[in-house]
Amino acid sequence: MTAQVEELQFQAETRQLLDLMIHSVYSNKDSFLRELVSNSSDALDKLRLEAYQNKDLDVDTSDLHIDLEIDKDARTLTIRDNGIGMSRAEVVDLIGTLAKSGTAEVRAKLKEAAASEELIGQFGIGFYSTFMVADKVTLLTRRAGETTATRWESSGEGTYTIEEVEGAPQGSSVTLHLKPADDEDHLYDYASEWKVKELVKKYSDFIAWPIRMKSETEVDGEKTVTDETVNSMKALWARSKDDVSEDEYKEFYRHVSHAWDEPLEIIPMKAEGTFEYQALLFIPSQAPFDLFMRESKVGVQLYVKRVFIMDDCDDLIPEYLRFVKGVVDAQDLSLNVSREILQQDRQIRAIRRRLTKKVLSTIRDFDAEKYDTFWSQFGKAIKEGLLSDTDNRDTILEISSFASTHSEEGVTKLSEYVERVKDGQDKIYYMTGDSRQQIESSPHMEAFRDKGIEVLLLTDPVDEVWVGSVPEFDGKAFQSIAKGAVDLESEDEKKATEASREVQEKDFADLLTWMTSTLEENIKEVRLSSRLTTSPACIVGDDFSITPTLEKMYRASGQEVPHMKRILELNPSHPLVTGLKKAQAERSDDTDVAETAELLYGMALLAEGGELEDPAKFTKLLADRLTRTV
């Protein structure tokens, strides 16, 4: 007896995706089977784990497997497993809607035809790939421990039906009502037994569970039907690298990462001794869409003695390496291990240290081409480790790269910067900002540009934070060109200009005192600058003050920080500054002179990309001043 059939609408983004699948531009339609077999494998893993953890769960785990069943007359292909299954709510949540990925990102990707090849893998929506090869898809599923099953069915045209069913077996079965074969559209005959076997061998041979198909043999006119296991079930991480083909590694990477790109690097590991484990890690060639989202998945799969324990085990890999995918198979952990226990486990901490060092050393040994690909995709994430992983900070600095005034294109490593420094330079100079153009246009750059001193251009938000926590590299301290006093003169140059500097300090003493008093609401001091050559003024911070950008970042995250007053530096050779000195000396009480000082401060603030506290007032002062000149 079945309950009433209910018809529901797909989420809007899901309908767009289904339309893409039905009118697919994908050339590799074969991969639908890999996606469904991978889902079944996950369901079997989860059932065995739940059976270990919940002794009251009444399930039989003695023969967990995946069945593939072909009906040539009806042109259907069914993928069936006796795994964990799904409840009605899970079916609606996971299949009726575009699961947990950001809908805005999906919508944007759907508009990019060039991105369509990676779409399924990027957003973890492999189930929808069935509509590339099927006119109708039927899912029948019963969750372990429940008595009522759920049947879901759709032709992919904007709606689906869902109903409760009694008497269905535990697990899930997906039945595809196949489209006719069309070689020109790369749509093959998936009702063909040899084709299905070929796809299993190609994409899913390493799956740890038996994948079975009915095999018919005829002897002396008598037909016999037997179950044939069509995959080898060999765990790739337990095999020697010489015994595994590149294609096998690629398919296993896609299985564990649910991605469609190829791995940039494969890292097999084996540890013996006090505690034993095997690992097979992959560095992707393309960053996942959710790399910087809060719901981003962190960690690799954890097995114990080849028994799946959990996905995304974040205790095995630090968050800044969250793009690393793969498997760790430990020999000495309990099968009942929980996330809480893992956090305290000494072996897990030791494995984490070794995995982290291995990944970082592998990146350090990349050739130039591979490194450039890696850094363009994952550099921002890696730099987070400069804050969180002090043990490996030196290695992270070694493998980090930054834009630099040395080259208009590409990036430079710190070791390359150090090799190029001028004699006597004991600092690594940098400046943070929103963009390269903004930094290069900043007045702070003028003296460095004139003297040919290289400056690192740091434009990622994380750069604002880590530079305050990392003291030095290779014996050279990091120094912001927008903080503290800048001393770029050699000893001989200092001696030659000492007398003139003293004269300047005396000549400008009254102006500096007056401007410090006039602008005291906004700045803590006005002083002469040694970093300016063409601009009249710039604003700098103390050696240990936080930048305005970092101040804004803290406030945006809900942290209150006191407003930091900074220092206004004047270029004593600029006509505007010398003119202001003369005007102040002759008529210090004139409001026009005070307004000029305010305008000068506002100009310096805008030149560094800052924000005016009162833009309307600044605009009015500027308009009034311009009116008098017309």
Side-chain angles (χ1 to χ4, degrees):
M1 178 177 172
T2 60
Q4 183 178 356
V5 178
E6 186 177 0
E7 185 174 79
L8 300 174
Q9 292 275 341
F10 280 109
Q11 184 192 52
E13 287 77 14
T14 310
R15 289 201 300 273
Q16 287 181 285
L17 186 61
L18 289 169
D19 186 65
L20 178 68
M21 295 300 176
I22 292 166
H23 306 97
S24 177
V25 296
Y26 291 80
S27 59
N28 187 17
K29 294 179 173 60
D30 288 351
S31 52
F32 80 93
L33 188 59
R34 173 181 65 199
E35 298 293 329
L36 294 182
V37 169
S38 184
N39 289 346
S40 289
S41 174
D42 289 345
L44 295 170
D45 285 337
K46 289 172 183 174
L47 178 67
R48 180 160 66 174
L49 179 62
E50 192 156 327
Y52 276 124
Q53 295 176 339
N54 182 3
K55 300 303 180 185
D56 296 329
L57 188 65
D58 184 19
V59 291
D60 180 7
T61 59
S62 62
D63 184 28
L64 299 179
H65 62 277
I66 301 167
D67 275 324
L68 304 181
E69 184 180 306
I70 295 172
D71 185 331
K72 292 183 180 179
D73 295 332
R75 284 196 57 74
T76 62
L77 170 61
T78 300
I79 296 87
R80 182 181 293 107
D81 66 73
N82 55 346
I84 193 70
M86 288 186 283
S87 65
R88 183 188 188 281
E90 287 172 325
V91 171
V92 173
D93 184 44
L94 297 175
I95 298 177
T97 61
L98 197 57
K100 301 295 179 259
S101 46
T103 55
E105 288 79 11
V106 177
R107 193 183 297 114
K109 288 289 186 182
L110 286 170
K111 293 178 181 177
E112 301 174 22
S116 58
E117 285 289 350
E118 296 82 28
L119 192 63
I120 299 176
Q122 276 192 315
F123 290 96
I125 45 184
F127 179 82
Y128 299 115
S129 65
T130 53
F131 288 99
M132 294 191 294
V133 300
D135 291 319
K136 183 171 71 174
V137 178
T138 304
L139 166 69
L140 180 62
T141 182
R142 177 169 70 83
R143 185 170 179 81
E146 296 185 359
T147 56
T148 303
T150 302
R151 179 186 286 124
W152 177 100
E153 191 167 85
S154 179
S155 57
E157 295 177 351
T159 64
Y160 60 90
T161 61
I162 194 163
E163 60 182 312
E164 291 186 354
V165 179
E166 301 294 337
Q170 169 201 300
S172 300
S173 67
V174 180
T175 299
L176 311 180
H177 301 263
L178 297 166
K179 296 176 181 179
D182 183 349
D183 287 347
E184 287 187 9
D185 192 30
H186 305 282
L187 185 60
Y188 303 114
D189 184 6
Y190 300 111
S192 165
E193 188 177 304
W194 72 265
K195 181 63 178 178
V196 171
K197 285 182 178 179
E198 177 189 71
L199 296 185
V200 170
K201 207 70 183 167
K202 181 177 181 181
Y203 292 121
S204 308
D205 192 54
F206 52 80
I207 294 292
W209 305 104
I211 303 172
R212 297 172 183 164
M213 287 183 69
K214 299 292 184 188
S215 182
E216 189 177 282
T217 56
E218 186 174 334
V219 180
D220 298 330
E222 200 169 309
K223 292 183 179 178
T224 305
V225 178
T226 56
D227 282 329
E228 178 188 359
T229 299
V230 292
N231 63 319
S232 69
M233 297 184 290
K234 292 179 180 177
L236 259 68
W237 62 87
R239 293 162 59 185
S240 164
K241 191 172 184 178
D242 295 336
D243 296 335
V244 183
S245 71
E246 189 175 339
D247 286 341
E248 285 179 303
Y249 275 134
K250 288 178 183 177
E251 292 311 322
F252 185 71
Y253 161 72
R254 288 166 179 156
H255 170 69
V256 296
S257 67
H258 299 288
W260 280 34
D261 62 318
E262 294 191 358
L264 184 68
E265 188 65 37
I266 302 161
I267 309 175
M269 294 176 66
K270 186 174 183 179
E272 297 174 338
T274 310
F275 50 89
E276 298 182 3
Y277 68 89
Q278 294 169 310
L280 180 56
L281 304 180
F282 299 92
I283 298 176
S285 56
Q286 182 175 323
F289 81 100
D290 62 350
L291 185 63
F292 296 101
M293 292 183 181
R294 281 187 178 178
E295 60 267 31
S296 172
K297 294 180 178 179
V298 180
V300 297
Q301 293 182 354
L302 174 63
Y303 283 71
V304 174
K305 301 182 185 72
R306 302 200 190 175
V307 175
F308 174 81
I309 300 298
M310 68 181 68
D311 262 327
D312 310 314
C313 182
D314 53 8
D315 292 291
L316 283 169
I317 209 84
E319 188 172 2
Y320 71 93
L321 295 179
R322 57 189 173 274
F323 52 84
V324 173
K325 301 301 177 186
V327 167
V328 173
D329 188 354
Q331 302 303 307
D332 304 315
L333 293 176
S334 164
L335 291 173
N336 288 315
V337 68
S338 66
R339 288 189 183 272
E340 291 71 29
I341 293 172
L342 284 176
Q343 291 170 3
Q344 309 299 324
D345 192 275
R346 183 178 62 85
Q347 291 188 23
I348 290 293
R349 291 200 297 271
I351 294 173
R352 176 189 173 107
R353 285 195 298 271
R354 293 183 184 181
L355 296 183
T356 301
K357 289 185 180 298
K358 181 64 175 178
V359 171
L360 293 177
S361 65
T362 299
I363 296 167
R364 185 175 55 198
D365 295 338
F366 278 167
D367 61 33
E369 183 180 356
K370 193 173 284 190
Y371 175 81
D372 288 344
T373 299
F374 168 80
W375 192 254
S376 68
Q377 296 294 316
F378 305 109
K380 291 181 184 179
I382 283 288
K383 286 189 285 187
E384 294 172 16
L386 293 171
L387 291 164
S388 60
D389 189 356
T390 54
D391 290 343
N392 293 294
R393 181 177 282 170
D394 289 344
T395 306
I396 298 171
L397 283 171
E398 278 185 63
I399 65 174
S400 295
S401 289
F402 310 94
S404 159
T405 53
H406 175 74
S407 171
E408 292 184 7
E409 297 180 1
V411 289
T412 188
K413 289 185 177 180
L414 293 174
S415 57
E416 296 168 338
Y417 180 103
V418 170
E419 286 175 7
R420 292 191 292 263
V421 297
K422 297 177 178 293
D423 290 342
Q425 180 181 330
D426 60 353
K427 291 182 174 64
I428 296 173
Y429 291 107
Y430 71 87
M431 185 172 175
T432 60
D434 293 334
S435 68
R436 178 178 185 128
Q437 181 181 4
Q438 181 206 72
I439 296 173
E440 288 187 321
S441 302
S442 170
H444 300 95
M445 292 288 297
E446 292 173 2
F448 291 87
R449 188 181 296 114
D450 283 359
K451 289 185 173 292
I453 297 174
E454 184 175 355
V455 177
L456 300 179
L457 313 174
L458 310 183
T459 56
D460 292 331
V462 68
D463 293 329
E464 292 281 355
V465 187
W466 74 258
V467 289
S469 305
V470 180
E472 54 90 26
F473 173 79
D474 199 14
K476 296 189 182 296
F478 288 97
Q479 174 64 52
S480 169
I481 67 170
K483 286 185 181 181
V486 167
D487 183 7
L488 302 180
E489 293 182 332
S490 66
E491 290 301 319
D492 291 340
E493 288 172 328
K494 286 177 185 177
K495 290 177 182 177
T497 58
E498 186 175 2
S500 61
R501 272 203 315 276
E502 289 178 1
V503 171
Q504 275 184 342
E505 291 290 346
K506 289 179 182 178
D507 285 350
F508 281 86
D510 289 344
L511 175 68
L512 299 180
T513 302
W514 173 80
M515 284 189 71
T516 299
S517 174
T518 302
L519 302 173
E520 63 181 352
E521 286 188 15
N522 299 308
I523 59 168
K524 64 180 293 185
E525 179 189 353
V526 181
R527 69 189 183 198
L528 296 183
S529 179
S530 60
R531 74 184 88 213
L532 296 173
T533 58
T534 57
S535 296
C538 70
I539 301 175
V540 300
D542 284 332
D543 285 320
F544 302 105
S545 65
I546 66 172
T547 65
T549 302
L550 188 55
E551 197 177 314
K552 280 192 291 185
M553 286 169 59
Y554 281 133
R555 289 208 170 92
S557 66
Q559 298 183 56
E560 278 304 316
V561 291
H563 176 65
M564 306 287 290
K565 288 186 179 181
R566 296 192 295 153
I567 300 163
L568 179 66
E569 289 192 350
L570 303 180
N571 180 354
S573 60
H574 194 281
L576 177 56
V577 176
T578 55
L580 180 60
K581 178 171 81 74
K582 181 180 178 184
Q584 188 274 329
E586 294 173 352
R587 51 185 202 280
S588 61
D589 295 332
D590 191 337
T591 56
D592 281 358
V593 180
E595 288 176 357
T596 302
E598 282 192 61
L599 288 170
L600 188 58
Y601 165 72
M603 288 164 53
L605 194 61
L606 292 172
E608 69 166 11
E611 296 178 1
L612 297 165
E613 277 193 30
D614 191 346
K617 181 182 179 183
F618 179 85
T619 305
K620 185 178 184 306
L621 288 177
L622 184 60
D624 289 346
R625 191 58 53 89
L626 290 173
T627 301
R628 295 177 210 168
T629 65
V630 176

